[in-house]
Amino acid sequence: MPIDATLPYDESNVFARILRGELPCSKVYEDEHVLAFNDIRPLAPVHILVIPKGAYVSWDDFSERAQPEEIAAFVRAVGRIARDQGLVAPGYRLLANVGGHAGQEVPHLHVHIFGGRELGPMLA
Ligand code: AMP
């Protein structure tokens, strides 16, 4: 069920629970501001979710409220993870769903990194 990205942050969402260590994840990367892990239902050979450790509902919320160091850390982490996965030469795709029309399901900002095969047209 897509979320309403204008609602306040819900501390019970699944990624908040992963960040608190209440649920496991298949960790790919972690630093002071960022956690990345494999998507539980991968849609490509590489399907990684990158999330900020701060409580942000979506890209909209993050871009408005996050501190410059959180934003810099997040952007750099996404690039670094893709490089570390060997995705730059073959190519990869980034996706951040925001709210209902995009089908965002988890109300904690996440960027999907897709790679490992030709990814086809941008939208189905
Ligand atoms: P979105 O539709 O952009 O909100 O994407 C949410 C993503 O989170 C989906 O691709 C799910 O497969 C993924 N997901 C949900 N729960 C988990 C979990 N516990 N661990 C890893 N990925 C998850």
Side-chain angles (χ1 to χ4, degrees):
M1 181 77 169
I3 62 121
D4 177 347
T6 66
L7 290 177
Y9 188 79
D10 172 5
E11 295 283 352
S12 70
N13 80 76
V14 66
F15 295 168
R17 297 186 65 200
I18 287 173
L19 283 167
R20 289 196 296 269
E22 296 167 7
L23 291 175
C25 73
S26 168
K27 185 161 69 176
V28 171
Y29 174 86
E30 182 170 17
D31 66 27
E32 181 188 352
H33 294 293
V34 179
L35 179 68
F37 47 90
N38 290 305
D39 196 291
I40 206 165
R41 289 184 294 274
L43 298 174
V46 178
H47 185 174
I48 295 167
L49 301 173
V50 188
I51 70 173
K53 289 187 173 175
Y56 300 102
V57 175
S58 70
W59 187 274
D60 177 69
D61 189 22
F62 186 69
S63 61
E64 190 173 36
R65 292 197 301 110
Q67 296 302 307
E69 58 268 27
E70 293 177 288
I71 294 172
F74 189 71
V75 171
R76 286 202 186 278
V78 171
R80 175 176 172 179
I81 292 161
R83 275 193 302 282
D84 288 352
Q85 297 284 323
L87 296 177
V88 178
Y92 66 96
R93 181 170 293 160
L94 303 179
L95 175 71
N97 291 316
V98 181
H101 277 186
Q104 182 182 359
E105 291 186 347
V106 178
H108 182 114
L109 169 63
H110 48 286
V111 166
H112 299 253
I113 301 177
F114 296 108
R117 66 168 167 81
E118 288 193 17
L119 294 165
M122 194 153 50
L123 289 178

